[in-house]
Amino acid sequence: MEKFRRAVATMPHVVEAYRMSGDLDYMLKVRAADMPASDSFYRKLIRAVPPADVSASFVMEEIKENRGVPLEAV
């Protein structure tokens, strides 16, 4: 787990990282310019920390991105 944390912390393409409950151990939000860049990131990640299992999903369209929580009451 610590090796994974250190590896992810050094990768600038990882913009968010979470340790999860349930079926998935970790979830990473990665920004990549295109599919070849995404594949390059994946190869770098598995060289650093060989996974037991990997699942990937790709954003097809951004509808709303979280830009922070508003401070005023709803």
Side-chain angles (χ1 to χ4, degrees):
M1 186 163 73
E2 193 55 39
K3 185 177 182 181
F4 178 82
R5 286 175 187 254
R6 285 193 309 267
V8 167
T10 66
M11 297 177 171
H13 287 81
V14 177
V15 295
E16 296 177 27
Y18 304 95
R19 188 167 60 93
M20 307 292 289
S21 65
D23 294 337
L24 301 175
D25 293 327
Y26 298 96
M27 182 176 71
L28 304 179
K29 181 176 179 181
V30 176
R31 295 276 185 171
D34 51 27
M35 290 305 292
S38 178
D39 185 54
S40 176
F41 167 80
Y42 170 75
R43 290 172 188 271
K44 181 179 177 181
L45 178 65
I46 64 171
R47 276 194 307 272
V49 186
D53 187 25
V54 174
S55 175
S57 297
F58 298 93
V59 173
M60 301 299 292
E61 176 186 10
E62 182 180 301
I63 297 170
K64 179 180 178 182
E65 183 178 24
N66 184 358
R67 304 237 188 244
V69 179
L71 297 177
E72 65 274 355
V74 178

